[in-house]
Amino acid sequence: MSHLFWRLAILACTLSGLAMRLDAQGTNPQSLDPQSPRESPQLTKDKQLTEAEREKVEFFESHVRPVLIASCLECHSLETEASGGLLLDSAPNWQAGGDSGAAIIAGEPAASLLLKAIAYDDPDLQMPPEGKLSDQAIDAIRQWIQAGAIDPRTDVTAGKPQSTALSVAEAQQHWAYRPLTLKPRPSTSTATSATGSTSTASSSTQGLAAAAIDGFINDRLLASQLDAAAPVGREQLLRRLTFDLNGLPPTPEQLAAFLSDNRLDAVERQVDRLLSSPRFGETLARHWMDVARYAESVTLRGFVLPEAWRYRDYLIDAFNADRPFDQMIVEQVAGDLLVSPDIAERTKQLVATGFLTFGNTNLEEQDKTQLEMDFIDEQLEVMGRAFLGQTIGCARCHDHKFDPIPTRDYYALAGIFRNTTALIHSNVSKWVEQPLPLDHAQTEYFASLDGQLKKLNQQIAALKPRPAKSVAKTGKSVALASLAGIVIDDADAKLTGVWTPSTSVSNFVAEHYLHDGRTGAGDKSAIFETKLPTTGAYRVRMAYTPGENRATNSKVVVFGPDGEQTLHINQRNPPNEDELWISLGEYRFEANGPAFVTVSNEGADGHVVIDAIQFLPQAEAKSVAAVVSQLDNTNNRRATAPADIQSVPTELKELEAEQKRLQVRLAERPNFMTLTEKTPAQDLAIHIRGNVHNLGEVVPRGFLTALDVEGRTGIQFDASSSGRLQLAHWLSDTRNPLTARVYANRIWSWLLGQGLVTTTNNFGTTGMPPSHPELLDWLANELMRSGWSTKHLVRCVVLTDAYRRRIVEPSARAQQQDPNNQLLWRGNLRRISVEAMRDAMLQVSGELDLSVGGSLIRSKTAADYNYQHQGARRSVYQPVFRNSLPELFEAFDFADTSVSIGERSRSTVAPQALVMLNHPWVVERAQAAAQRIVTQFSTAPMAISQVYLQCVGRQPSQAEAAACLSFLAPAAVIDPQGSPAVNPEKLASVIQSLMASLDFRYLD
């Protein structure tokens, strides 16, 4: 029998076993099909939505409905007209079609007339007629149709958006918004198993808590007359615990020690060992990284985020140290606003706020106001899902259609984030990075380098030829070369919108100045960008030509490493410095770091004029005259020493080489991804229908009014801060009914395969209700009672009988009453994550590198495209690149890093088996494992025993051992001592087949 045939035979058995196990779980195989449905189901308030349908409804509300409202319903609604006989105001109406037939065919965008019309593919059918929609809007419609055109609007008589299904006043009708209740511990602490045995927890604190948890579950089982499944054996239990808490399989040595430990608290000892391992933080951090949509690149151009790894390491350290989760919430939302004299603690606070910066936004968006709101929308969405289990983003364009989140609440929250700077704008905007705090010695070291570089820059500037100092006008203009400092002319600015050149008013820089023609209010901006040669303070000045028709409130924003400063300049007043400039203030900038000034016509009451921006280094001179005089004297001295001129090129070359060396050393100073506060803080106006240029009522900053935590939603914010720190404390307040519930439910889902609320990111009215509401509240209270200790709650859960139950086929009663195991009468079949699967293969092969921390991105990696992932470090440390995931990760349902993920999809498709059988990386791990095992275990029975212990955590059955021996025997060779030796090549086939098997990839 060939190796390939033998492996395929084992795989066939594996897949057959998987099908039977899934059937025993009551899982419909069709639900694992990744293809989208081709019918658009009628969705009603009373219909129980599937997880996939809920996600599609959220996509419709966030991305499709706003486009329909803004661009389609004016001509295709019952309340306006039915142009072409087509109505787009409800699902039944568009399903009826128009004069040309069906406009939308669910699942078939290429055949849908609506998409052809909005894409302008047909010159005779172009909608809307006043202009083509944006590419983003068209793509959203395409994705919606491809995914089945799920549309929750079922009222055929409604032509305009329906009101919120659940108002703020009615919020308490929904379980998730009610205050936490603490039901007394149930009297039932044991449950009869299917074999008639009972189990009780120990008398430790966590043991008593575990008994309380079991009490809630067993009371429901007794009421339903369902028998609990028997507990798993010790081998299976240790494998569950080790994967769940450390993300790895137990070693044969760990298994042997546990099986020989007859003490009553043997299980508790194993749990304590696993919780104290550094692997625990790595495992829990990887779970939270899904929620935080962690990635180390953005899709656009594959830009790499070189400092993202610091947030990952923060999470690992925090979970290992059992950092209180309420503290972690505050640090992730507003850590940069906290204060600590300890450098290590301050570093953690600063790095944690990277949580808000990983959005996969289109940084090329030229409407920077739109870009900023898109970025804020993404921040609100991930914050809402992660901490509150709420889809806040659905309220951006209209009141939430299902939950008590009015549009006012959305813009009250958005106003908080609008007063932070998360992006530095240019043609392609960029995320914000800042230097980390350093100890005294490191600070002195980098300060010394910076000082050396400043002096070097001055020497280089003195040696370079300089134009004449004259600042005399040449006609109406001032020569650019005659100006000190660094000057960016309007000709070099990056413009958005159409600006008109003019020379009508004298005293401008270079060839002309530009004005906005007083058209396109809010649509025109100019970005003056440069990189400054030295770190230090710079005076920033703006040139413009005054006039009576000028705006009195031209908006100017200065960007630097300390944040941004917004000013409003009265351009009717003449510039007051040298009859050319007006000062925008003094700012600190980093060498080669970002320095931007933007001018826009947002809200302008007259013509906005742009001419030039000047950066004057204040450290070099106290005035422009001093700077010019110093350089002139240098030039004059050079002119009187002609003999020295010969040496200038060589000296300049040497100085520039040293300049580069210093710049490289300065670049080694550690940075972190963050955002900064704007001052003064301002409230935000509602964007009508989500349009950033169609402003409505200004909304005071605040929180969700449906969660009035004893009046804290009415807090007043002043202009000195954004309100982000107050928001962080509101999120983590023990009186907030959502936060502890959501996190306790996440921990439960990480350990048992599904949450008590199966929609872990959605506690709203479209989410699933909890299967055990009293237990969920008990867990939330226990979490807070323990000081928000993640380890405490994990320990309580894994010591329960519910955690230990076997996976068994359902009885007739169980199949009828609880086919999906909502009552937890048995264990859930769970596939280990792709990261754990990769790490397990490396552990079996003996190659796993358990080094911790740091970035694995290879130096000089500018883009993530076609990145070759290498190394044997744990998967949590591998770069997470949005354009280049490892093939193994793509095949086995790695998280979508563009959105917050509460629970990964779990598909079972043929490519997974093909990857395990054919991928070179898998083959190499099996070969390495075989070589290691045959050197340690010389006989086939011993080798087979080790293979099973290391791969699946148990000894092979008699049938399995016989099959493996039969396969290995024909290839056996005789060693020098005359004993049969194992053929490594054959053993590698056995190992690879086990790695592809159900027992390796699933927890039993």
Side-chain angles (χ1 to χ4, degrees):
M1 182 183 296
S2 70
H3 293 192
L4 178 59
F5 183 83
W6 192 83
R7 283 155 52 190
L8 289 174
I10 287 185
L11 179 63
C13 295
T14 299
L15 294 178
S16 176
L18 175 60
M20 290 187 290
R21 301 279 281 280
L22 292 175
D23 184 62
Q25 283 281 89
T27 305
N28 181 357
Q30 292 181 352
S31 67
L32 301 175
D33 187 348
Q35 298 300 319
S36 301
R38 292 196 174 272
E39 295 183 1
S40 179
Q42 288 291 325
L43 303 179
T44 68
K45 186 178 178 181
D46 299 326
K47 182 182 183 294
Q48 194 65 269
L49 304 182
T50 67
E51 177 68 18
E53 288 172 345
R54 275 187 291 271
E55 292 178 357
K56 291 169 184 175
V57 167
E58 292 169 9
F59 183 86
F60 175 86
E61 294 294 342
S62 299
H63 302 285
V64 178
R65 189 197 286 258
V67 176
L68 297 178
I69 292 173
S71 305
C72 304
L73 296 190
E74 184 177 351
C75 300
H76 297 280
S77 165
L78 280 173
E79 293 201 353
T80 55
E81 60 177 306
S83 180
L86 176 64
L87 296 173
L88 296 173
D89 49 10
S90 72
N93 284 343
W94 63 252
Q95 286 168 352
D99 296 343
S100 301
I104 300 170
I105 301 177
E108 300 183 27
S112 298
L113 290 177
L114 176 66
L115 191 62
K116 291 182 180 179
I118 63 174
Y120 279 36
D121 289 342
D122 184 344
D124 298 324
L125 181 63
Q126 296 182 344
M127 294 292 167
E130 61 271 16
K132 186 179 177 181
L133 298 176
S134 68
D135 291 342
Q136 287 178 306
I138 295 171
D139 189 55
I141 298 292
R142 181 182 290 105
Q143 291 183 52
W144 171 62
I145 296 174
Q146 180 65 56
I150 299 293
D151 186 344
R153 302 170 303 160
T154 58
D155 186 355
V156 298
T157 64
K160 60 182 179 180
Q162 302 169 26
S163 61
T164 303
L166 190 65
S167 69
V168 170
E170 299 169 326
Q172 295 297 307
Q173 295 179 15
H174 184 59
W175 65 270
Y177 303 105
R178 297 174 192 149
L180 289 169
T181 58
L182 185 56
K183 182 180 178 181
R185 174 182 169 180
S187 58
T188 308
S189 61
T190 63
T192 304
S193 71
T195 61
S197 64
T198 62
S199 62
T200 56
S202 74
S203 59
S204 68
T205 301
Q206 286 86 0
L208 293 173
I213 295 170
D214 281 324
F216 285 106
I217 295 171
N218 295 340
D219 275 359
R220 293 285 304 277
L221 293 179
L222 290 174
S224 302
Q225 297 182 328
L226 291 176
D227 291 330
V232 296
R234 276 200 164 195
E235 292 173 325
Q236 293 168 307
L237 177 59
L238 185 62
R239 192 165 188 269
R240 268 188 201 178
L241 286 170
T242 311
F243 266 114
D244 283 339
L245 303 189
N246 283 185
L248 290 167
T251 65
E253 295 76 18
Q254 291 167 347
L255 182 59
F258 181 50
L259 293 178
S260 63
D261 188 350
N262 296 319
R263 289 171 291 189
L264 293 177
D265 62 347
V267 175
E268 292 189 15
R269 289 174 179 272
Q270 289 297 318
V271 171
D272 289 341
R273 176 182 65 83
L274 295 168
L275 289 176
S276 63
S277 168
R279 313 286 82 79
F280 175 77
E282 293 167 346
T283 303
L284 268 287
R286 185 55 261 182
H287 284 305
W288 186 256
M289 286 156 69
D290 281 5
V291 179
R293 73 337 183 182
Y294 173 85
E296 292 172 69
S297 69
V298 293
T299 301
L300 175 68
R301 302 191 188 182
F303 289 140
V304 172
L305 307 175
E307 306 297 337
W309 64 272
R310 298 186 190 278
Y311 174 77
R312 177 208 62 209
D313 282 7
Y314 158 81
L315 291 177
I316 293 172
D317 292 342
F319 283 117
N320 275 329
D322 202 18
R323 204 170 183 86
F325 191 71
D326 61 337
Q327 181 180 344
M328 291 178 66
I329 293 174
V330 174
E331 289 169 346
Q332 290 178 87
V333 175
D336 58 309
L337 304 180
L338 300 175
V339 177
S340 175
D342 182 78
I343 292 178
E345 185 67 15
R346 181 64 181 143
T347 296
K348 292 175 183 176
Q349 294 169 347
L350 292 170
V351 169
T353 314
F355 168 81
L356 295 172
T357 67
F358 296 121
N360 194 19
T361 315
N362 177 20
L363 301 177
E364 284 187 315
E365 171 64 62
Q366 294 305 298
D367 186 337
K368 300 306 178 182
T369 305
Q370 178 70 44
L371 172 57
E372 289 188 356
M373 277 308 302
D374 289 345
F375 199 90
I376 290 169
D377 182 72
E378 198 277 339
Q379 289 176 316
L380 290 177
E381 190 68 1
V382 72
M383 182 195 73
R385 289 174 182 264
F387 302 124
L388 302 173
Q390 298 293 293
T391 55
I392 295 175
C394 293
R396 180 178 181 179
C397 304
H398 48 72
D399 289 348
H400 202 296
K401 299 306 168 186
F402 304 102
D403 296 332
I405 306 177
T407 302
R408 287 181 58 87
D409 281 10
Y410 177 92
Y411 286 95
L413 287 168
I416 294 174
F417 289 99
R418 189 65 179 85
N419 286 291
T420 64
T421 299
L423 294 173
I424 299 171
H425 292 310
S426 183
N427 180 44
V428 178
S429 298
K430 193 178 185 298
W431 54 93
V432 175
E433 289 182 4
Q434 287 197 325
L436 280 170
L438 302 172
D439 61 30
H440 179 72
Q442 291 175 310
T443 301
E444 288 293 314
Y445 168 71
F446 284 108
S448 173
L449 292 180
D450 187 56
Q452 294 176 48
L453 185 60
K454 286 180 179 178
K455 292 179 180 178
L456 200 60
N457 289 335
Q458 291 177 349
Q459 291 177 278
I460 292 172
L463 289 173
K464 285 185 175 181
R466 179 175 176 81
K469 75 157 190 172
S470 174
V471 294
K473 300 175 186 176
T474 56
K476 294 183 176 182
S477 68
V478 175
L480 186 63
S482 70
L483 299 172
I486 295 176
V487 180
I488 306 99
D489 185 44
D490 57 69
D492 298 315
K494 297 174 182 177
L495 306 177
T496 300
V498 178
W499 293 81
T500 303
S502 178
T503 58
S504 299
V505 180
S506 299
N507 214 26
F508 51 83
V509 175
E511 296 181 357
H512 55 62
Y513 60 89
L514 303 175
H515 65 81
D516 69 338
R518 202 174 181 185
T519 61
D523 294 334
K524 300 183 181 182
S525 64
I527 301 172
F528 296 82
E529 173 187 1
T530 188
K531 287 191 175 181
L532 301 173
T534 60
T535 298
Y538 286 78
R539 192 177 187 188
V540 183
R541 303 201 296 181
M542 174 183 179
Y544 65 87
T545 58
E548 288 300 318
N549 66 345
R550 306 301 197 238
T552 65
N553 59 346
S554 298
K555 184 178 179 181
V556 180
V557 184
V558 182
F559 295 88
D562 295 327
E564 65 178 55
Q565 180 69 41
T566 301
L567 306 97
H568 290 87
I569 305 300
N570 186 345
Q571 293 190 328
R572 295 181 187 177
N573 296 332
N576 58 4
E577 296 186 7
D578 301 332
E579 299 181 354
L580 182 65
W581 305 103
I582 185 170
S583 175
L584 302 179
E586 187 172 304
Y587 302 87
R588 186 186 68 85
F589 294 97
E590 297 285 341
N592 295 309
F596 299 88
V597 175
T598 66
V599 184
S600 74
N601 66 350
E602 180 182 346
D605 58 4
H607 285 73
V608 174
V609 173
I610 56 175
D611 187 9
I613 296 293
Q614 180 187 51
F615 291 84
L616 284 173
Q618 297 298 292
E620 293 183 14
K622 294 182 179 180
S623 68
V624 176
V627 173
V628 173
S629 174
Q630 178 182 348
L631 294 172
D632 283 347
N633 291 336
T634 301
N635 287 335
N636 289 335
R637 286 196 302 273
R638 188 184 305 161
T640 62
D644 294 338
I645 294 178
Q646 305 263 346
S647 64
V648 167
T650 301
E651 183 181 358
L652 186 60
K653 185 176 181 180
E654 292 174 352
L655 291 175
E656 288 178 336
E658 178 62 20
Q659 180 188 50
K660 289 182 180 179
R661 285 193 290 270
L662 285 172
Q663 289 171 342
V664 169
R665 291 166 67 186
L666 272 171
E668 294 173 353
R669 175 164 185 161
N671 294 322
F672 67 104
M673 293 178 64
T674 188
L675 37 74
T676 57
E677 294 278 281
K678 294 179 184 177
T679 55
Q682 298 177 342
D683 294 327
L684 183 65
I686 291 174
H687 297 166
I688 299 172
R689 296 179 178 175
N691 187 336
V692 297
H693 303 301
N694 188 6
L695 303 182
E697 175 189 1
V698 174
V699 178
R701 284 164 285 154
F703 313 134
L704 296 182
T705 50
L707 298 173
D708 190 355
V709 182
E710 296 192 13
R712 290 192 64 179
T713 55
I715 189 170
Q716 298 296 314
F717 298 93
D718 58 34
S720 63
S721 69
S722 64
R724 192 157 40 91
L725 185 57
Q726 294 94 321
L727 171 62
H729 287 304
W730 176 82
L731 287 169
S732 58
D733 196 304
T734 56
R735 295 166 294 186
N736 189 322
L738 281 175
T739 309
R741 275 189 182 123
V742 169
Y743 188 59
N745 186 67
R746 287 195 195 283
I747 292 176
W748 187 274
S749 72
W750 294 340
L751 297 171
L752 277 90
Q754 66 179 25
L756 297 172
V757 179
T758 56
T759 52
T760 51
N761 266 11
N762 186 358
F763 275 42
T765 60
T766 60
M768 293 292 288
S771 59
H772 298 74
E774 295 88 357
L775 172 57
L776 179 60
D777 278 12
W778 189 93
L779 291 169
N781 277 294
E782 183 67 13
L783 173 68
M784 293 187 291
R785 188 198 64 78
S786 68
W788 293 82
S789 167
T790 298
K791 286 188 176 182
H792 172 79
L793 202 61
V794 167
R795 197 174 192 275
C796 291
V797 173
V798 298
L799 290 176
T800 62
D801 292 339
Y803 177 80
R804 304 184 195 189
R805 286 179 182 140
R806 292 182 184 272
I807 300 169
V808 297
E809 293 190 18
S811 64
R813 177 185 292 276
Q815 184 64 41
Q816 181 179 15
Q817 292 193 17
D818 188 25
N820 295 321
N821 195 31
Q822 292 292 305
L823 298 181
L824 302 168
W825 58 271
R826 65 173 176 184
N828 290 314
L829 181 66
R830 293 184 287 139
R831 189 176 73 193
I832 63 175
S833 70
V834 65
E835 298 97 316
M837 185 167 64
R838 174 186 176 275
D839 293 350
M841 286 189 276
L842 285 168
Q843 178 170 297
V844 171
S845 71
E847 301 168 294
L848 183 62
D849 180 355
L850 293 176
S851 303
V852 300
S855 174
L856 297 188
I857 301 174
R858 290 188 291 277
S859 62
K860 299 182 180 180
T861 300
D864 68 357
Y865 294 114
N866 302 314
Y867 188 85
Q868 298 301 309
H869 295 267
Q870 300 172 351
R873 292 279 299 278
R874 287 204 70 181
S875 298
V876 70
Y877 295 111
Q878 297 299 315
V880 181
F881 284 156
R882 284 176 166 134
N883 292 310
S884 295
L885 287 175
E887 293 175 350
L888 194 68
F889 285 29
E890 292 180 339
F892 284 94
D893 304 315
F894 188 76
D896 181 353
T897 56
S898 294
V899 293
S900 173
I901 296 295
E903 184 176 351
R904 294 184 184 181
S905 60
R906 286 170 284 188
S907 64
T908 303
V909 292
Q912 293 169 349
L914 297 175
V915 166
M916 296 303 292
L917 285 176
N918 300 300
H919 198 285
W921 188 89
V922 179
V923 174
E924 290 167 4
R925 302 291 76 71
Q927 291 172 343
Q931 289 290 345
R932 184 172 70 90
I933 290 174
V934 297
T935 60
Q936 298 175 359
F937 304 94
S938 58
T939 68
M942 293 173 63
I944 292 169
S945 175
Q946 273 300 306
V947 166
Y948 270 81
L949 284 173
Q950 294 189 27
C951 287
V952 295
R954 61 174 175 81
Q955 292 286 354
S957 67
Q958 289 185 352
E960 290 167 334
C964 292
L965 284 171
S966 175
F967 175 73
L968 292 175
V973 297
I974 304 300
D975 67 14
Q977 285 73 36
S979 301
V982 180
N983 185 311
E985 184 181 352
K986 287 260 186 172
L987 186 61
S989 292
V990 174
I991 294 172
Q992 189 181 352
S993 298
L994 269 181
M995 288 177 174
S997 71
L998 178 69
D999 286 346
F1000 184 85
R1001 296 185 286 117
Y1002 282 78
L1003 292 179
D1004 199 347

